[in-house]
Amino acid sequence: MQDKKTILMKGFGGVLLLIFLCVISTVSSFAQKERNYIYLFDCTRSMVGYKGTPVVMPQTLSFLRKSVNSLPNGTKVSIIPFQDRVLNTYSCYREDFDFNDFSNYVDKAVESITNTNICDPWKKGESLIDNDKDNYLILLTDGGDNVNASCKF
């Protein structure tokens, strides 16, 4: 037959286990969700100094590279290049990001002289928001929308 001290110790162990399980489930519920980064990337000629505008493309590409490289593996990355329209979206996970491939794509795109359409890429970015993830929508541009001036977002 067990004495009162042994029974009390077993009961105390059960209480500790219950507290431990409660703490673990609470910590799990506050764990950070997966991340989803959506970059809207201006590929208009003005980014490279068209008609005397400041050349900002090197700094913008550098920011993009540093930003993506600073993200943890497993982060979803979508880059929506745009000019007067939305260009092909570049989507991958952070660890699969090929900066040189994207940079070469941008170098070719800026050869075209176009207007700047921010509204449509913004809408495209909104369509990539995943409610099960923490979402970040980042606009990288040197100007305003001169295609859809009445666009409100």
Side-chain angles (χ1 to χ4, degrees):
M1 190 151 173
Q2 298 177 346
D3 64 3
K4 289 182 182 180
K5 186 176 179 183
T6 305
I7 294 172
L8 183 62
M9 291 302 288
K10 285 184 177 180
F12 183 68
V15 170
L16 283 179
L17 178 61
L18 179 62
I19 291 171
F20 177 74
L21 292 174
C22 288
V23 168
I24 292 298
S25 69
T26 302
V27 170
S28 298
S29 69
F30 289 113
Q32 186 176 16
K33 293 186 206 176
E34 291 181 23
R35 297 176 185 180
N36 183 30
Y37 276 74
I38 305 162
Y39 298 89
L40 311 178
F41 196 94
D42 187 341
C43 292
T44 58
R45 192 116 175 115
S46 65
M47 297 283 285
V48 293
Y50 182 68
K51 289 190 175 180
T53 59
V55 177
V56 296
M57 186 60 79
Q59 299 93 325
T60 307
L61 283 167
S62 176
F63 170 83
L64 178 68
R65 172 185 248 168
K66 289 175 185 174
S67 177
V68 172
N69 287 342
S70 72
L71 301 173
N73 285 347
T75 300
K76 178 73 175 173
V77 175
S78 298
I79 305 170
I80 304 169
F82 66 91
Q83 295 175 323
D84 57 347
R85 68 193 188 298
V86 175
L87 304 176
N88 293 330
T89 301
Y90 184 95
S91 292
C92 63
Y93 286 95
R94 179 262 175 249
E95 58 272 22
D96 300 322
F97 178 58
D98 184 342
F99 176 78
N100 291 329
D101 183 51
F102 181 74
S103 182
N104 290 335
Y105 177 81
V106 168
D107 288 344
K108 291 177 186 158
V110 296
E111 292 174 5
S112 301
I113 300 171
T114 66
N115 286 321
T116 305
N117 177 350
I118 296 174
C119 189
D120 290 341
W122 189 272
K123 289 177 185 174
K124 173 69 176 180
E126 287 179 330
S127 77
L128 297 177
I129 289 174
D130 182 339
N131 292 329
D132 294 327
K133 297 182 179 184
D134 287 332
N135 295 280
Y136 303 86
L137 188 62
I138 302 162
L139 175 62
L140 301 170
T141 186
D142 67 338
D145 191 315
N146 58 10
V147 173
N148 297 308
S150 64
C151 179
K152 306 279 188 238
F153 54 90

